[in-house]
Amino acid sequence: MNWDSPENSFLVRRAAVLGAPWAPLTSREYAPALGLVLPSDLARELGSYLAAIPDGVRDDDELIRAFCYERGVPLVAAVPHLLDHGDSPSVAGNDFHGLRRGVVLGPEAPLPAEYWLGARGMVHRLEVANEFRECLDVAVMFAASSALLRFPRAGKEEPHFHPFGWYWQDWCGLLGVNAGEIRAAAERFLGTAAAGPATGGAGPWQRVALEFWAACWLLGFDAGGKAGTGGETAASRHRNALVRAALASWLEAGLGAGDRSLDRAARSALVDVGTAAVRAGLRRGHG
C-alpha cells in the first residue's frame, strides 16, 4: 500500500494504531496489486478477467478493485506489509507518482505466527468479517506539511486521487472535537524540554510539529472511537513499533518541499511528537 494513498493509507495506519494485523480497505481506491493473494478459484477467474483487457490498459490495480468489488470480495492489507516498491524505477511507468513506499514495513525480526491470527474481533469491528462494506467516513491526510481532513461521500463520482482536503482547524468540529483542544494539547507537549530537536531550525520544526501533532491526534481519536475493550493480543504487543513505523512513513510522505531540509534528528523528534499525539487522541476517542 502506497504511503500517501488518499484513503487506504489512513486505514492501514488506523489498523496499526488499533493493533490489528489486517486493515480493511475502501472500495473507492485501487487495489494494492504489488502483492495479491486470492483463493485459487478466484485467482483463476481474475486471470481470465484480466486476459480479456487490452494490453494498452495500464491501470490493472483499478481493474482488480472492480473485480473484487463486483464479487463482494473484501480487500485487506497486511499490517505490516510484506512487500514494498523500494526506490527502483517503476516497471509500470508510474515514476511520475514519485516515491511509492509502503505505509508500514515489517520489523527486522520475523513476527510470530500468532500475530497474524490475533485480533479477529478487531478486524470484525473494522467491517471486513462477513461482507464487503464501506469502512471509512473520514480520512486524515498529512500533505505539504499540513494536516487535512477528507470526507469521502459514498456513491458520489468523486475522483479519489484528487489532492484536496479541508484544513483541520476549520473542519474538525464535524468530528466532535474542538481545534483549540488539539492546539492546547500540542502546546503543552511541545513546551516540554524533551519535545524539540537537538539541532537548529526550531521555527520551521515547531510549525511542522503542530501540524503533525494534529494529524496524529486525529488519527488516534478516530481509532479510539473504534477500539474495543479486549485484552492484549500478539498483535497489540507489537503495536508501538508498528505505529512508529506508520508515523515515520506518514511524515516522510507528507513533508512539504520547504521542510525537506529538516535533518534526521529533527524528523525523529517529529515522530516522537506524533507518537505522543496518537496516544492523546486515543484517550480522547475512548472517552
Side-chain angles (χ1 to χ4, degrees):
M1 177 55 56
N2 289 357
W3 61 0
D4 61 349
S5 65
E7 297 176 15
N8 280 335
S9 65
F10 175 74
L11 291 172
V12 171
R13 290 186 174 97
R14 186 177 73 182
V17 168
L18 289 169
W22 306 98
L25 304 178
T26 177
S27 66
R28 286 182 291 269
E29 277 188 23
Y30 60 86
L34 187 63
L36 182 69
V37 178
L38 287 171
S40 57
D41 56 339
L42 276 172
R44 285 189 288 269
E45 186 180 349
L46 174 61
S48 299
Y49 176 86
L50 294 176
I53 305 297
D55 290 342
V57 177
R58 294 180 55 251
D59 296 329
D60 58 341
D61 47 10
E62 289 283 5
L63 296 170
I64 294 171
R65 178 202 62 80
F67 172 89
C68 292
Y69 183 73
E70 290 165 2
R71 288 156 181 78
V73 177
L75 287 169
V76 298
V79 183
H81 304 329
L82 306 182
L83 296 170
D84 185 34
H85 279 106
D87 301 326
S88 301
S90 170
V91 297
N94 290 326
D95 290 320
F96 67 95
H97 288 308
L99 282 177
R100 300 168 310 286
R101 302 304 304 270
V103 178
V104 187
L105 301 182
E108 292 184 5
L111 292 167
E114 58 266 25
Y115 170 85
W116 300 104
L117 300 175
R120 291 179 179 175
M122 177 62 69
V123 173
H124 181 78
R125 283 191 293 275
L126 292 177
E127 302 182 327
V128 74
N130 298 317
E131 58 181 322
F132 192 93
R133 291 177 288 184
E134 290 301 339
C135 53
L136 182 65
D137 46 21
V138 64
V140 184
M141 302 166 60
F142 183 70
S145 296
S146 296
L148 303 170
L149 297 174
R150 185 184 183 98
F151 298 99
R153 299 182 298 166
K156 302 296 182 182
E157 295 296 326
E158 184 174 287
H160 62 264
F161 264 120
H162 72 74
F164 306 110
W166 303 94
Y167 189 51
W168 70 275
Q169 296 205 51
D170 299 328
W171 291 92
C172 65
L174 291 180
L175 306 180
V177 294
N178 185 280
E181 175 187 357
I182 300 173
R183 284 197 309 271
E187 289 164 1
R188 285 194 299 271
F189 181 80
L190 296 174
T192 63
T199 56
W205 186 91
Q206 290 282 343
R207 171 180 47 77
V208 176
L210 173 60
E211 294 296 316
F212 197 54
W213 172 280
C216 295
W217 193 99
L218 289 164
L219 167 63
F221 177 78
D222 184 73
K226 296 171 175 62
T229 57
E232 185 181 72
T233 66
S236 65
R237 287 193 291 273
H238 294 274
R239 180 185 303 166
N240 290 344
L242 295 178
V243 168
R244 189 169 181 87
L247 299 186
S249 75
W250 208 9
L251 178 69
E252 293 300 324
L255 277 177
D259 298 315
R260 292 280 166 192
S261 59
L262 290 171
D263 63 19
R264 180 178 297 181
R267 296 184 190 203
S268 179
L270 285 169
V271 176
D272 293 340
V273 169
T275 302
V278 165
R279 289 197 298 266
L282 267 172
R283 289 193 297 270
R284 179 67 164 78
H286 272 306

